[in-house]
Amino acid sequence: MTDRTIDTLGDAFREYRTPFENQRFIADFVAKVDAAALLRYSDHFRVERRSGEPALQVHHGSTIGFRSEDEVQELVGDVKPFPSEWLPGRWGVRHPVSAQSAGGERSSSPRQVSNEACPQCGEIMSLAGCDWCGWKP
């Protein structure tokens, strides 16, 4: 692989400091797209699809690259998608932390995450401990 390849989704979350609240949201739809590779870019990572369909570009506050509103509903669930300005004909979704901030802009407080791996399960922890497995400091 290339030096742009990221080994695991957990590594991508750590490298891009993905807020904990967004990690499960992103992991759920990434599991459904049959990812072939994760690639790093300067401000986002890409989920390359084994099917050859457009890659999903995972930014801090949103993911773009879905083929249609129907694909968003199939992969992500009941969320309000938006048409991508960067990828004409593609759709995006806002992540939970982004959706909670004013105007859907980037959250001003992604520091709610410790950016440390949980000693029990390896996932990124919130400041209060690991919300995935329940480990507390």
Side-chain angles (χ1 to χ4, degrees):
M1 291 290 184
T2 71
D3 61 342
R4 291 187 346 191
T5 301
I6 304 170
D7 293 331
T8 68
L9 193 54
D11 290 342
F13 290 155
R14 282 185 284 284
E15 186 172 331
Y16 288 90
R17 297 179 162 225
T18 304
F20 177 79
E21 296 84 353
N22 294 345
Q23 292 179 23
R24 176 73 51 141
F25 177 78
I26 295 165
D28 286 347
F29 64 76
V30 167
K32 296 174 186 173
V33 299
D34 194 21
L38 301 171
L39 300 176
R40 74 176 48 87
Y41 287 81
S42 62
D43 65 343
H44 70 281
F45 65 93
R46 289 177 59 155
V47 179
E48 299 289 330
R49 302 186 201 209
R50 200 171 308 283
S51 67
E53 294 289 336
L56 297 178
Q57 298 182 16
V58 182
H59 295 267
H60 178 81
S62 65
T63 296
I64 59 174
F66 296 98
R67 295 183 316 250
S68 65
E69 288 180 271
D70 288 340
E71 183 183 44
V72 170
Q73 297 307 310
E74 176 187 327
L75 297 177
V76 183
D78 190 24
V79 299
K80 183 179 178 186
F82 62 88
S84 173
E85 294 177 11
W86 294 100
L87 300 172
R90 301 293 175 222
W91 291 83
V93 295
R94 285 183 176 62
H95 301 157
V97 168
S98 174
Q100 293 171 6
S101 61
E105 296 297 319
R106 185 177 202 170
S107 170
S108 62
S109 60
R111 299 284 182 212
Q112 299 167 0
V113 178
S114 73
N115 288 317
E116 304 229 352
C118 171
Q120 184 168 310
C121 72
E123 294 301 326
I124 300 297
M125 297 187 295
S126 70
L127 294 176
C130 184
D131 295 329
W132 288 43
C133 73
W135 185 87
K136 301 288 182 205

